[in-house]
Amino acid sequence: MKLFMATLATETNTFSPIPTGQAAFMGERAWFRGDGSRQPAQIANIPLIAWRRLAAADGHAIAESLCTFAQPGGTTVRAVYEALREMLLADLRAAMPVEGVLLFLHGAMVAEGYDDCEGDTLERVRAIVGPDCVIGVELDLHCHLTEAMRRAADIIVTFKEYPHVDIAARAEEVYRLSLRRAAGEIRPVMALHDCRMISLWRTPMQPMRDFVDRMSALEGHDGILSVSFGHGFPWGDVADVGARMLVIADGDAARAQALAETLGRELWAMREATSTPYETIDGAIDLALLSEGGPLVLADVADNAGAGAPSDSTAILRRLVERGIEGAVSGCYWDPQAVGFCVEAGEGATFTLRIGGKCGVASGAPLDLEVRVRRLAESHSQAGLSGGRASFGPSAWVSAQGIDIVLVSQRQQTFAPDAFTGLGITLDDKRLVVVKSMQHFHAAFAPIARAIRYVAAPGAVPPDYAAIGFTKRRLPYWPRDADPFAV
């Protein structure tokens, strides 16, 4: 059997001030064509690595195309999306005939003129390969699950975990179901259920932990092949924004639809219990002052680069300085200009540095601090998702008024403690660690944290879901509507 595979992905925050263009796909992160699966693991190629390994073990041939995953940002430039899509389609035409297509997409990619890039790409892939070729797709769980995707693909599986620690496992699931479909062992049918909710669900916490485990337990029984919960990406202004259940059954569309609706009702019943409480900046700082025994980790969720924010807001840092808080660490700030100034000044230098506040209104005002340059790195990185690495590029550790600050040249959310310790910063002796991340930090920071709190500071991805300025979603949703099913 011959299989074709590719990655073409980004997560689009349509409210972000940062355009997503050619450099985002071809320069800042992964960019490979034909050999991404042979590169060191990072988020873009983890599924490709798994698919190549499995195909080799089973004796199948692989034709590989693009491997690119742009850092989340604003709407993708139309010409850039169309060019990347056409590269993928050209490689597919050159590889024909193939019996299977395996794609790692995001599910929330928006380009100028294309609110559903994944649906558009899948429809074009289907037009090339015909109705008999199996198309298997892995999506981020922060996706907009659409009818166009469902119609064009045979198998769609989303990550189950947030943080995304199961990317490789879900890739293996896509592979096995796709090959069973190609061999005629199963007849997958997919059903979607709109939960009419827009929120954020953190899977390590109860009751979500039990719900995810229940999803997994349902698979492989009573004709149910796969269960996915598409959490949705709240900061995408598209018609299909919001949470959806996706169930794949073996030849029984009614069974798939019934289970999707049942699970959707279970989620609805848990809506309050699964909502995250958010602290104010000062409230979170007060908590850090109350207790000892390891750092309190604060998540600056609204300035999360992983959701398209600039990661250069100084709102929390400013209050730490104003309140004279020492023994704190904060990062990682996307500020290439500040990094350049630190490099020019050199390690050990002390000077006044303007930090952050450069990308727009959501970034707030810059902060001027007398800093000491403690450490410089030409190519700093951190542990990434599902065993990969994530690059920060040239980076600097500076200290000011008892606070350690990490400045980076490549916009990236904070995933792991080595974002700090890799530059020489110690964490076990700190009172407070502020991470610019929404949830992906949790897996690596929880073991060292006294506690974790989520802070609703100003930023480009504010967690007030009822107030997001949607113009394209027509159906009511919670929490904007108390009962969206009654409207």
Side-chain angles (χ1 to χ4, degrees):
M1 182 181 296
K2 186 177 182 182
L3 303 173
F4 175 89
M5 66 181 189
T7 296
L8 174 54
T10 190
E11 181 179 65
T12 301
N13 180 339
T14 58
F15 305 99
S16 172
I18 304 168
T20 302
Q22 181 170 301
F25 287 97
M26 303 178 73
E28 293 179 358
R29 298 178 91 186
W31 168 254
F32 306 105
R33 190 175 186 183
D35 64 347
S37 63
R38 304 184 189 280
Q39 306 300 322
Q42 50 188 296
I43 186 173
N45 67 350
I46 290 172
L48 304 186
I49 291 171
W51 292 334
R52 182 173 287 280
R53 171 177 52 80
L54 293 167
D58 292 339
H60 300 308
I62 284 284
E64 185 171 340
S65 180
L66 304 183
C67 177
T68 183
F69 197 132
Q71 183 69 253
T75 302
T76 298
V77 175
R78 180 177 188 134
V80 171
Y81 164 62
E82 290 178 342
L84 292 169
R85 181 196 66 198
E86 291 312 310
M87 286 183 199
L88 188 155
L89 297 177
D91 289 347
L92 176 58
R93 293 186 188 97
M96 290 295 288
V98 299
E99 288 73 43
V101 174
L102 304 176
L103 298 176
F104 179 31
L105 308 174
H106 185 282
M109 180 178 180
V110 179
E112 295 162 344
Y114 299 91
D115 280 0
D116 179 13
C117 291
E118 290 83 1
D120 173 65
T121 297
L122 287 169
E123 287 176 340
R124 293 169 189 271
V125 168
R126 178 60 75 190
I128 293 170
V129 301
D132 297 327
C133 178
V134 61
I135 300 177
V137 184
E138 180 172 8
L139 298 178
D140 191 301
L141 58 76
H142 294 117
C143 54
H144 312 303
L145 287 168
T146 69
E147 278 297 316
M149 297 180 202
R150 187 190 68 82
R151 288 193 303 266
D154 297 284
I155 302 291
I156 297 176
V157 173
T158 76
F159 309 156
K160 282 186 169 65
E161 301 293 347
Y162 183 42
H164 304 329
V165 296
D166 62 332
I167 299 174
R170 300 287 74 77
E172 293 176 5
E173 181 181 347
V174 170
Y175 177 89
R176 293 194 174 98
L177 289 175
S178 296
L179 264 67
R180 290 181 66 194
R181 152 67 173 81
E185 297 176 11
I186 56 174
R187 295 185 301 109
V189 291
M190 293 189 287
L192 288 172
H193 171 71
D194 186 348
C195 301
R196 298 200 184 182
M197 293 187 287
I198 294 177
S199 188
L200 207 68
W201 288 267
R202 304 177 191 277
T203 61
M205 290 78 162
Q206 295 291 8
M208 278 307 297
R209 180 70 266 149
D210 285 345
F211 183 81
V212 174
D213 292 341
R214 171 163 153 72
M215 287 166 55
S216 298
L218 289 166
E219 296 171 336
H221 305 284
D222 301 320
I224 300 301
L225 300 173
S226 178
V227 180
S228 293
F229 172 35
H231 296 203
F233 182 63
W235 300 277
D237 185 16
V238 297
D240 291 297
V241 64
R244 283 175 168 79
M245 289 302 311
L246 167 65
V247 175
I248 309 177
D250 188 2
D252 192 336
R255 184 183 295 271
Q257 192 65 53
L259 181 57
E261 292 175 2
T262 295
L263 292 173
R265 287 193 294 270
E266 291 181 16
L267 280 166
W268 171 254
M270 297 188 298
R271 64 193 180 281
E272 297 290 351
T274 56
S275 295
T276 301
Y278 293 96
E279 307 287 347
T280 64
I281 297 175
D282 282 303
I285 295 173
D286 290 342
L287 287 173
L289 300 177
L290 288 175
S291 57
E292 303 293 336
L296 178 69
V297 175
L298 303 183
D300 185 3
V301 299
D303 199 30
N304 170 35
S311 274
D312 73 339
S313 168
T314 61
I316 296 178
L317 180 59
R318 183 180 300 277
R319 286 301 292 150
L320 292 174
V321 171
E322 290 171 348
R323 292 184 57 171
I325 305 299
E326 298 185 352
V329 178
S330 186
C332 295
Y333 292 81
W334 181 46
D335 199 333
Q337 187 177 45
V339 172
F341 289 164
C342 292
V343 171
E344 188 73 9
E347 288 187 2
T350 299
F351 68 108
T352 300
L353 179 64
R354 174 159 286 192
I355 296 173
K358 294 180 172 65
C359 291
V361 174
S363 298
L367 186 60
D368 295 305
L369 294 174
E370 186 79 8
V371 304
R372 179 186 174 197
V373 181
R374 303 292 300 277
R375 185 71 57 83
L376 298 170
E378 291 185 9
S379 183
H380 182 39
S381 67
Q382 62 176 335
L385 296 176
S386 290
R389 296 294 298 178
S391 175
F392 287 121
S395 301
W397 161 24
V398 301
S399 59
Q401 298 182 215
I403 303 170
D404 293 310
I405 303 162
V406 174
L407 309 170
V408 301
S409 298
Q410 290 182 213
R411 189 169 57 93
Q412 182 75 259
Q413 68 178 293
T414 306
F415 288 123
D418 60 344
F420 303 112
T421 60
L423 290 171
I425 302 172
T426 57
L427 300 180
D428 56 356
D429 59 338
K430 298 301 187 293
R431 172 180 288 171
L432 188 61
V433 176
V434 182
V435 296
K436 288 187 175 293
S437 182
M438 191 169 289
Q439 177 67 0
H440 287 318
F441 72 94
H442 192 281
F445 278 90
I448 70 166
R450 179 173 81 248
I452 291 172
R453 294 291 184 269
Y454 300 91
V455 185
V461 282
D464 185 353
Y465 309 110
I468 296 175
F470 298 122
T471 65
K472 296 182 179 180
R473 178 170 175 112
R474 299 306 178 198
L475 290 174
Y477 72 89
W478 179 87
R480 183 174 292 180
D481 299 282
D483 185 357
F485 295 98
V487 176

